[in-house]
Amino acid sequence: MEISSIPSFLDYYGKIRQRTERVIACIPADQFDWTYREGKFTFADQIRHIAAIERYLYAETVQGRSAAYTGCGKALADDPEQVLAFFREKHQESLAIFSSLSDQGLQQKIQTPGGGQITCWKWLRALIEHEIHHRAHIYTYLGILGIPTPPIFGLTSEQVQEQSTQASKI
């Protein structure tokens, strides 16, 4: 997928974020600090990480600045309300920065934290892939705990299979 305009990127990214918000809403408040194994991200870590990386890595670098990501620990936000407020606040800050980019700027090369060069639109695509990656972790964590999650596109795989089976009988 090539990103050729800021408005189309912001529209698409908004839809990605809505799906992320829907699955985050399934996390019980008393499970925000749960993880499947000591030393691995908790639910809250996942949420803070998505927010902090978006704002302090991707949004900084598209402005030609150095990355300012310093982690995703509890010092950023601790209880569930604070974590969600941090998540939304950093997203709004990032959207303001992304909105200031020009369509022509999407074709410019930017410096990555690793010292490489990448076209801006490809960097923004990597931002979306990063969020989806961590959203998948949240889905997996909820599955381990047996907590129901919303389907991404309206139907679960079981519902698609059932409908397909019924359609083949007609």
Side-chain angles (χ1 to χ4, degrees), residues 97-154:
I97 293 165
F98 300 146
S99 295
S100 73
L101 298 172
S102 69
D103 292 349
Q104 296 78 20
L106 291 170
Q107 301 305 319
Q108 301 299 313
K109 294 286 186 182
I110 60 170
Q111 184 85 22
T112 68
Q117 295 275 313
I118 190 170
T119 307
C120 182
W121 71 264
K122 291 179 181 177
W123 189 241
L124 292 175
R125 183 180 62 191
L127 163 68
I128 292 169
E129 291 176 9
H130 179 265
E131 180 161 327
I132 292 167
H133 165 79
H134 286 283
R135 182 175 70 208
H137 289 154
I138 294 169
Y139 268 98
T140 301
Y141 284 21
L142 290 167
I144 291 168
L145 294 175
I147 298 170
T149 57
I152 294 176
F153 299 112

Short mmCIF file of all heavy atoms in Angstrom, two decimals, residues 97-154:
data_model
loop_
_atom_site.label_atom_id
_atom_site.label_comp_id
_atom_site.label_asym_id
_atom_site.label_seq_id
_atom_site.Cartn_x
_atom_site.Cartn_y
_atom_site.Cartn_z
N ILE A 97 0.86 16.43 14.29
CA ILE A 97 2.13 16.44 13.56
C ILE A 97 1.93 15.84 12.17
O ILE A 97 2.36 16.43 11.17
CB ILE A 97 3.21 15.70 14.35
CG1 ILE A 97 3.55 16.49 15.62
CG2 ILE A 97 4.46 15.45 13.50
CD1 ILE A 97 4.33 15.72 16.66
N PHE A 98 1.28 14.69 12.08
CA PHE A 98 1.08 14.06 10.78
C PHE A 98 0.23 14.95 9.86
O PHE A 98 0.47 15.01 8.66
CB PHE A 98 0.42 12.68 10.94
CG PHE A 98 1.22 11.70 11.75
CD1 PHE A 98 0.58 10.76 12.56
CD2 PHE A 98 2.61 11.68 11.72
CE1 PHE A 98 1.30 9.86 13.32
CE2 PHE A 98 3.35 10.77 12.47
CZ PHE A 98 2.70 9.86 13.28
N SER A 99 -0.74 15.65 10.43
CA SER A 99 -1.61 16.53 9.64
C SER A 99 -0.84 17.70 9.06
O SER A 99 -1.26 18.28 8.06
CB SER A 99 -2.75 17.07 10.51
OG SER A 99 -3.59 16.03 10.92
N SER A 100 0.28 18.06 9.69
CA SER A 100 1.06 19.20 9.20
C SER A 100 1.96 18.83 8.03
O SER A 100 2.54 19.71 7.39
CB SER A 100 1.90 19.78 10.34
OG SER A 100 2.99 18.92 10.66
N LEU A 101 2.09 17.54 7.75
CA LEU A 101 2.91 17.10 6.62
C LEU A 101 2.21 17.43 5.31
O LEU A 101 0.98 17.46 5.23
CB LEU A 101 3.16 15.59 6.69
CG LEU A 101 3.92 15.08 7.91
CD1 LEU A 101 3.91 13.56 7.93
CD2 LEU A 101 5.34 15.61 7.92
N SER A 102 2.99 17.63 4.28
CA SER A 102 2.41 17.86 2.95
C SER A 102 2.41 16.56 2.16
O SER A 102 3.18 15.64 2.47
CB SER A 102 3.22 18.91 2.19
OG SER A 102 4.50 18.39 1.86
N ASP A 103 1.57 16.50 1.16
CA ASP A 103 1.57 15.33 0.29
C ASP A 103 2.94 15.14 -0.37
O ASP A 103 3.42 14.02 -0.51
CB ASP A 103 0.47 15.44 -0.77
CG ASP A 103 -0.93 15.34 -0.20
OD1 ASP A 103 -1.07 14.98 1.00
OD2 ASP A 103 -1.89 15.64 -0.94
N GLN A 104 3.58 16.24 -0.73
CA GLN A 104 4.91 16.17 -1.33
C GLN A 104 5.93 15.65 -0.30
O GLN A 104 6.86 14.92 -0.66
CB GLN A 104 5.36 17.54 -1.85
CG GLN A 104 4.51 18.09 -2.97
CD GLN A 104 3.18 18.68 -2.49
OE1 GLN A 104 3.00 19.02 -1.33
NE2 GLN A 104 2.23 18.77 -3.41
N GLY A 105 5.72 16.01 0.95
CA GLY A 105 6.63 15.57 2.01
C GLY A 105 6.62 14.07 2.20
O GLY A 105 7.59 13.50 2.72
N LEU A 106 5.54 13.42 1.80
CA LEU A 106 5.47 11.97 1.90
C LEU A 106 6.54 11.27 1.06
O LEU A 106 6.90 10.13 1.34
CB LEU A 106 4.09 11.47 1.48
CG LEU A 106 2.93 11.80 2.41
CD1 LEU A 106 1.60 11.45 1.74
CD2 LEU A 106 3.08 11.08 3.74
N GLN A 107 7.03 11.98 0.04
CA GLN A 107 8.05 11.41 -0.85
C GLN A 107 9.48 11.68 -0.38
O GLN A 107 10.43 11.15 -0.95
CB GLN A 107 7.86 11.95 -2.27
CG GLN A 107 6.51 11.65 -2.88
CD GLN A 107 6.15 10.17 -2.87
OE1 GLN A 107 7.00 9.31 -3.15
NE2 GLN A 107 4.91 9.85 -2.54
N GLN A 108 9.64 12.48 0.66
CA GLN A 108 10.96 12.84 1.16
C GLN A 108 11.56 11.68 1.95
O GLN A 108 10.85 10.89 2.56
CB GLN A 108 10.88 14.08 2.06
CG GLN A 108 10.32 15.30 1.37
CD GLN A 108 11.17 15.74 0.20
OE1 GLN A 108 12.39 15.84 0.31
NE2 GLN A 108 10.54 15.98 -0.94
N LYS A 109 12.86 11.61 1.94
CA LYS A 109 13.57 10.62 2.75
C LYS A 109 13.71 11.16 4.17
O LYS A 109 13.94 12.35 4.37
CB LYS A 109 14.96 10.33 2.19
CG LYS A 109 14.94 9.66 0.82
CD LYS A 109 14.53 8.23 0.93
CE LYS A 109 14.66 7.56 -0.43
NZ LYS A 109 14.24 6.18 -0.40
N ILE A 110 13.54 10.27 5.13
CA ILE A 110 13.77 10.65 6.52
C ILE A 110 14.78 9.69 7.13
O ILE A 110 14.97 8.57 6.65
CB ILE A 110 12.45 10.66 7.33
CG1 ILE A 110 11.80 9.27 7.35
CG2 ILE A 110 11.49 11.70 6.82
CD1 ILE A 110 10.66 9.15 8.32
N GLN A 111 15.42 10.15 8.18
CA GLN A 111 16.43 9.37 8.89
C GLN A 111 15.73 8.51 9.94
O GLN A 111 14.97 9.01 10.75
CB GLN A 111 17.41 10.32 9.58
CG GLN A 111 18.55 9.66 10.27
CD GLN A 111 19.70 9.37 9.34
OE1 GLN A 111 19.84 9.99 8.29
NE2 GLN A 111 20.51 8.41 9.69
N THR A 112 16.00 7.21 9.93
CA THR A 112 15.44 6.32 10.94
C THR A 112 16.37 6.29 12.16
O THR A 112 17.55 6.66 12.04
CB THR A 112 15.28 4.89 10.40
OG1 THR A 112 16.57 4.33 10.18
CG2 THR A 112 14.44 4.86 9.13
N PRO A 113 15.87 5.85 13.30
CA PRO A 113 16.74 5.77 14.48
C PRO A 113 17.96 4.88 14.27
O PRO A 113 18.99 5.08 14.90
CB PRO A 113 15.82 5.19 15.56
CG PRO A 113 14.46 5.56 15.11
CD PRO A 113 14.49 5.52 13.61
N GLY A 114 17.84 3.90 13.38
CA GLY A 114 18.96 3.01 13.10
C GLY A 114 19.98 3.59 12.15
O GLY A 114 20.96 2.93 11.80
N GLY A 115 19.74 4.82 11.69
CA GLY A 115 20.70 5.48 10.80
C GLY A 115 20.39 5.31 9.32
O GLY A 115 21.11 5.85 8.49
N GLY A 116 19.35 4.56 8.99
CA GLY A 116 19.00 4.38 7.59
C GLY A 116 18.11 5.51 7.07
O GLY A 116 17.68 6.38 7.83
N GLN A 117 17.89 5.48 5.80
CA GLN A 117 17.00 6.43 5.14
C GLN A 117 15.78 5.67 4.64
O GLN A 117 15.91 4.57 4.12
CB GLN A 117 17.70 7.09 3.95
CG GLN A 117 18.88 7.95 4.32
CD GLN A 117 18.43 9.35 4.70
OE1 GLN A 117 17.64 9.96 4.01
NE2 GLN A 117 18.93 9.84 5.82
N ILE A 118 14.60 6.27 4.79
CA ILE A 118 13.37 5.65 4.31
C ILE A 118 12.45 6.76 3.82
O ILE A 118 12.45 7.87 4.36
CB ILE A 118 12.70 4.79 5.42
CG1 ILE A 118 11.54 3.96 4.86
CG2 ILE A 118 12.25 5.66 6.59
CD1 ILE A 118 11.00 2.91 5.83
N THR A 119 11.67 6.45 2.80
CA THR A 119 10.69 7.41 2.31
C THR A 119 9.62 7.59 3.39
O THR A 119 9.18 6.62 4.00
CB THR A 119 10.06 6.89 0.99
OG1 THR A 119 11.11 6.58 0.07
CG2 THR A 119 9.14 7.92 0.37
N CYS A 120 9.21 8.83 3.59
CA CYS A 120 8.28 9.16 4.68
C CYS A 120 7.02 8.31 4.63
O CYS A 120 6.58 7.81 5.67
CB CYS A 120 7.93 10.66 4.61
SG CYS A 120 6.85 11.22 5.92
N TRP A 121 6.43 8.12 3.44
CA TRP A 121 5.18 7.35 3.40
C TRP A 121 5.41 5.90 3.83
O TRP A 121 4.55 5.29 4.44
CB TRP A 121 4.49 7.42 2.04
CG TRP A 121 5.15 6.70 0.90
CD1 TRP A 121 5.99 7.21 -0.03
CD2 TRP A 121 4.99 5.31 0.56
NE1 TRP A 121 6.39 6.24 -0.92
CE2 TRP A 121 5.77 5.06 -0.58
CE3 TRP A 121 4.26 4.27 1.11
CZ2 TRP A 121 5.85 3.82 -1.19
CZ3 TRP A 121 4.34 3.01 0.50
CH2 TRP A 121 5.12 2.81 -0.63
N LYS A 122 6.58 5.36 3.56
CA LYS A 122 6.89 3.99 3.99
C LYS A 122 7.06 3.94 5.51
O LYS A 122 6.69 2.96 6.14
CB LYS A 122 8.14 3.46 3.29
CG LYS A 122 7.93 3.21 1.81
CD LYS A 122 9.19 2.71 1.15
CE LYS A 122 8.97 2.49 -0.33
NZ LYS A 122 10.20 2.06 -1.01
N TRP A 123 7.59 5.00 6.09
CA TRP A 123 7.74 5.08 7.54
C TRP A 123 6.37 5.11 8.20
O TRP A 123 6.14 4.46 9.21
CB TRP A 123 8.58 6.31 7.88
CG TRP A 123 9.01 6.44 9.29
CD1 TRP A 123 8.69 7.46 10.14
CD2 TRP A 123 9.86 5.57 10.04
NE1 TRP A 123 9.29 7.28 11.36
CE2 TRP A 123 10.01 6.11 11.32
CE3 TRP A 123 10.50 4.37 9.74
CZ2 TRP A 123 10.77 5.51 12.32
CZ3 TRP A 123 11.26 3.76 10.73
CH2 TRP A 123 11.39 4.33 12.00
N LEU A 124 5.45 5.87 7.61
CA LEU A 124 4.08 5.93 8.15
C LEU A 124 3.38 4.59 7.99
O LEU A 124 2.59 4.19 8.85
CB LEU A 124 3.30 7.06 7.48
CG LEU A 124 3.77 8.47 7.83
CD1 LEU A 124 3.01 9.51 7.01
CD2 LEU A 124 3.66 8.75 9.31
N ARG A 125 3.65 3.90 6.93
CA ARG A 125 3.09 2.55 6.76
C ARG A 125 3.62 1.62 7.85
O ARG A 125 2.89 0.80 8.40
CB ARG A 125 3.42 2.01 5.37
CG ARG A 125 2.82 0.63 5.09
CD ARG A 125 3.16 0.13 3.70
NE ARG A 125 4.60 -0.03 3.55
CZ ARG A 125 5.21 -0.25 2.39
NH1 ARG A 125 4.51 -0.31 1.27
NH2 ARG A 125 6.51 -0.38 2.33
N ALA A 126 4.90 1.78 8.19
CA ALA A 126 5.49 0.97 9.26
C ALA A 126 4.83 1.28 10.60
O ALA A 126 4.65 0.39 11.44
CB ALA A 126 7.00 1.21 9.34
N LEU A 127 4.43 2.54 10.81
CA LEU A 127 3.70 2.91 12.02
C LEU A 127 2.41 2.10 12.13
O LEU A 127 2.09 1.56 13.19
CB LEU A 127 3.37 4.41 12.00
CG LEU A 127 2.28 4.90 12.95
CD1 LEU A 127 2.73 4.80 14.39
CD2 LEU A 127 1.88 6.32 12.59
N ILE A 128 1.68 2.01 11.05
CA ILE A 128 0.42 1.26 11.03
C ILE A 128 0.69 -0.23 11.30
O ILE A 128 0.00 -0.86 12.10
CB ILE A 128 -0.32 1.46 9.70
CG1 ILE A 128 -0.81 2.91 9.61
CG2 ILE A 128 -1.46 0.47 9.54
CD1 ILE A 128 -1.33 3.32 8.25
N GLU A 129 1.70 -0.78 10.65
CA GLU A 129 2.04 -2.19 10.87
C GLU A 129 2.42 -2.42 12.32
O GLU A 129 2.06 -3.45 12.90
CB GLU A 129 3.20 -2.59 9.95
CG GLU A 129 2.81 -2.66 8.49
CD GLU A 129 3.98 -2.97 7.57
OE1 GLU A 129 5.07 -3.30 8.07
OE2 GLU A 129 3.80 -2.87 6.35
N HIS A 130 3.13 -1.48 12.91
CA HIS A 130 3.53 -1.60 14.31
C HIS A 130 2.31 -1.66 15.22
O HIS A 130 2.23 -2.50 16.11
CB HIS A 130 4.44 -0.43 14.70
CG HIS A 130 4.87 -0.47 16.12
ND1 HIS A 130 4.19 0.22 17.11
CD2 HIS A 130 5.87 -1.14 16.73
CE1 HIS A 130 4.78 -0.01 18.26
NE2 HIS A 130 5.80 -0.83 18.07
N GLU A 131 1.36 -0.77 14.99
CA GLU A 131 0.15 -0.78 15.83
C GLU A 131 -0.61 -2.09 15.69
O GLU A 131 -1.05 -2.67 16.68
CB GLU A 131 -0.77 0.40 15.49
CG GLU A 131 -2.01 0.40 16.36
CD GLU A 131 -2.72 1.72 16.42
OE1 GLU A 131 -2.06 2.77 16.34
OE2 GLU A 131 -3.96 1.71 16.55
N ILE A 132 -0.75 -2.56 14.46
CA ILE A 132 -1.47 -3.82 14.23
C ILE A 132 -0.76 -4.97 14.93
O ILE A 132 -1.40 -5.85 15.52
CB ILE A 132 -1.64 -4.07 12.72
CG1 ILE A 132 -2.60 -3.03 12.12
CG2 ILE A 132 -2.12 -5.49 12.44
CD1 ILE A 132 -2.61 -2.99 10.60
N HIS A 133 0.54 -4.97 14.88
CA HIS A 133 1.35 -6.00 15.56
C HIS A 133 1.03 -6.05 17.05
O HIS A 133 0.76 -7.13 17.60
CB HIS A 133 2.83 -5.69 15.30
CG HIS A 133 3.80 -6.39 16.16
ND1 HIS A 133 4.17 -7.69 15.95
CD2 HIS A 133 4.49 -5.98 17.25
CE1 HIS A 133 5.06 -8.05 16.86
NE2 HIS A 133 5.26 -7.03 17.66
N HIS A 134 1.03 -4.90 17.69
CA HIS A 134 0.76 -4.88 19.13
C HIS A 134 -0.72 -5.10 19.45
O HIS A 134 -1.05 -5.67 20.49
CB HIS A 134 1.31 -3.62 19.77
CG HIS A 134 2.79 -3.67 19.88
ND1 HIS A 134 3.44 -4.41 20.84
CD2 HIS A 134 3.77 -3.14 19.10
CE1 HIS A 134 4.75 -4.32 20.66
NE2 HIS A 134 4.98 -3.56 19.61
N ARG A 135 -1.61 -4.70 18.57
CA ARG A 135 -3.03 -4.99 18.75
C ARG A 135 -3.23 -6.50 18.74
O ARG A 135 -4.01 -7.05 19.52
CB ARG A 135 -3.87 -4.32 17.65
CG ARG A 135 -5.36 -4.57 17.82
CD ARG A 135 -6.18 -3.80 16.81
NE ARG A 135 -6.01 -4.35 15.48
CZ ARG A 135 -6.14 -3.64 14.36
NH1 ARG A 135 -6.41 -2.36 14.38
NH2 ARG A 135 -5.98 -4.22 13.19
N ALA A 136 -2.51 -7.19 17.88
CA ALA A 136 -2.60 -8.66 17.84
C ALA A 136 -2.16 -9.27 19.16
O ALA A 136 -2.75 -10.27 19.61
CB ALA A 136 -1.76 -9.20 16.69
N HIS A 137 -1.16 -8.69 19.81
CA HIS A 137 -0.77 -9.18 21.13
C HIS A 137 -1.91 -9.03 22.12
O HIS A 137 -2.16 -9.94 22.93
CB HIS A 137 0.45 -8.41 21.66
CG HIS A 137 1.72 -8.73 20.95
ND1 HIS A 137 2.76 -7.86 20.87
CD2 HIS A 137 2.11 -9.83 20.26
CE1 HIS A 137 3.75 -8.39 20.19
NE2 HIS A 137 3.38 -9.59 19.80
N ILE A 138 -2.61 -7.91 22.06
CA ILE A 138 -3.73 -7.69 22.98
C ILE A 138 -4.81 -8.73 22.72
O ILE A 138 -5.36 -9.31 23.66
CB ILE A 138 -4.26 -6.25 22.86
CG1 ILE A 138 -3.18 -5.26 23.34
CG2 ILE A 138 -5.55 -6.08 23.64
CD1 ILE A 138 -3.48 -3.80 23.04
N TYR A 139 -5.11 -9.00 21.46
CA TYR A 139 -6.08 -10.06 21.13
C TYR A 139 -5.62 -11.40 21.71
O TYR A 139 -6.42 -12.15 22.27
CB TYR A 139 -6.24 -10.20 19.61
CG TYR A 139 -7.34 -9.38 19.01
CD1 TYR A 139 -7.07 -8.16 18.40
CD2 TYR A 139 -8.66 -9.82 19.02
CE1 TYR A 139 -8.08 -7.41 17.84
CE2 TYR A 139 -9.69 -9.08 18.45
CZ TYR A 139 -9.39 -7.87 17.86
OH TYR A 139 -10.40 -7.13 17.31
N THR A 140 -4.34 -11.71 21.56
CA THR A 140 -3.82 -12.98 22.06
C THR A 140 -3.92 -13.05 23.58
O THR A 140 -4.36 -14.06 24.14
CB THR A 140 -2.36 -13.17 21.61
OG1 THR A 140 -2.32 -13.15 20.17
CG2 THR A 140 -1.79 -14.48 22.12
N TYR A 141 -3.53 -11.99 24.25
CA TYR A 141 -3.62 -11.96 25.71
C TYR A 141 -5.05 -12.19 26.16
O TYR A 141 -5.31 -12.97 27.08
CB TYR A 141 -3.16 -10.61 26.26
CG TYR A 141 -1.67 -10.34 26.29
CD1 TYR A 141 -0.75 -11.04 25.50
CD2 TYR A 141 -1.17 -9.34 27.11
CE1 TYR A 141 0.59 -10.75 25.55
CE2 TYR A 141 0.18 -9.04 27.16
CZ TYR A 141 1.06 -9.75 26.38
OH TYR A 141 2.40 -9.46 26.44
N LEU A 142 -5.99 -11.49 25.53
CA LEU A 142 -7.40 -11.66 25.90
C LEU A 142 -7.85 -13.09 25.64
O LEU A 142 -8.60 -13.67 26.43
CB LEU A 142 -8.28 -10.65 25.15
CG LEU A 142 -8.11 -9.19 25.60
CD1 LEU A 142 -8.77 -8.25 24.59
CD2 LEU A 142 -8.66 -8.97 27.00
N GLY A 143 -7.40 -13.68 24.55
CA GLY A 143 -7.73 -15.07 24.24
C GLY A 143 -7.21 -16.02 25.30
O GLY A 143 -7.91 -16.96 25.71
N ILE A 144 -5.99 -15.80 25.77
CA ILE A 144 -5.42 -16.64 26.82
C ILE A 144 -6.29 -16.58 28.07
O ILE A 144 -6.50 -17.58 28.75
CB ILE A 144 -3.97 -16.20 27.14
CG1 ILE A 144 -3.04 -16.54 25.97
CG2 ILE A 144 -3.47 -16.84 28.43
CD1 ILE A 144 -1.66 -15.90 26.06
N LEU A 145 -6.82 -15.39 28.36
CA LEU A 145 -7.65 -15.21 29.55
C LEU A 145 -9.11 -15.62 29.32
O LEU A 145 -9.92 -15.56 30.25
CB LEU A 145 -7.60 -13.74 30.00
CG LEU A 145 -6.24 -13.26 30.51
CD1 LEU A 145 -6.28 -11.76 30.80
CD2 LEU A 145 -5.81 -14.04 31.74
N GLY A 146 -9.44 -16.01 28.09
CA GLY A 146 -10.81 -16.42 27.78
C GLY A 146 -11.79 -15.26 27.70
O GLY A 146 -13.00 -15.45 27.86
N ILE A 147 -11.30 -14.08 27.43
CA ILE A 147 -12.14 -12.89 27.34
C ILE A 147 -12.55 -12.69 25.88
O ILE A 147 -11.69 -12.61 24.99
CB ILE A 147 -11.40 -11.65 27.88
CG1 ILE A 147 -11.08 -11.86 29.36
CG2 ILE A 147 -12.22 -10.38 27.66
CD1 ILE A 147 -10.14 -10.83 29.95
N PRO A 148 -13.85 -12.62 25.61
CA PRO A 148 -14.31 -12.42 24.23
C PRO A 148 -13.80 -11.11 23.64
O PRO A 148 -13.67 -10.11 24.36
CB PRO A 148 -15.83 -12.39 24.36
CG PRO A 148 -16.14 -12.95 25.70
CD PRO A 148 -14.95 -12.70 26.57
N THR A 149 -13.52 -11.14 22.35
CA THR A 149 -13.03 -9.96 21.64
C THR A 149 -13.91 -9.68 20.42
O THR A 149 -14.54 -10.61 19.88
CB THR A 149 -11.59 -10.17 21.16
OG1 THR A 149 -11.52 -11.34 20.34
CG2 THR A 149 -10.63 -10.31 22.34
N PRO A 150 -13.92 -8.45 19.97
CA PRO A 150 -14.72 -8.12 18.79
C PRO A 150 -14.04 -8.61 17.51
O PRO A 150 -12.81 -8.63 17.44
CB PRO A 150 -14.77 -6.60 18.82
CG PRO A 150 -13.51 -6.19 19.52
CD PRO A 150 -13.24 -7.28 20.53
N PRO A 151 -14.83 -8.99 16.52
CA PRO A 151 -14.22 -9.33 15.23
C PRO A 151 -13.65 -8.06 14.61
O PRO A 151 -14.16 -6.96 14.86
CB PRO A 151 -15.38 -9.89 14.42
CG PRO A 151 -16.61 -9.35 15.06
CD PRO A 151 -16.28 -9.13 16.51
N ILE A 152 -12.63 -8.20 13.82
CA ILE A 152 -12.01 -7.03 13.22
C ILE A 152 -12.90 -6.41 12.14
O ILE A 152 -13.03 -5.21 12.05
CB ILE A 152 -10.61 -7.39 12.66
CG1 ILE A 152 -9.69 -7.76 13.80
CG2 ILE A 152 -10.03 -6.22 11.88
CD1 ILE A 152 -8.32 -8.22 13.38
N PHE A 153 -13.53 -7.23 11.32
CA PHE A 153 -14.30 -6.72 10.19
C PHE A 153 -15.75 -7.15 10.21
O PHE A 153 -16.35 -7.38 9.17
CB PHE A 153 -13.66 -7.13 8.86
CG PHE A 153 -12.26 -6.60 8.69
CD1 PHE A 153 -11.17 -7.45 8.69
CD2 PHE A 153 -12.04 -5.24 8.56
CE1 PHE A 153 -9.89 -6.96 8.53
CE2 PHE A 153 -10.76 -4.73 8.41
CZ PHE A 153 -9.68 -5.59 8.39
N GLY A 154 -16.33 -7.31 11.38
CA GLY A 154 -17.77 -7.58 11.46
C GLY A 154 -18.16 -9.02 11.74
O GLY A 154 -19.15 -9.25 12.39
#
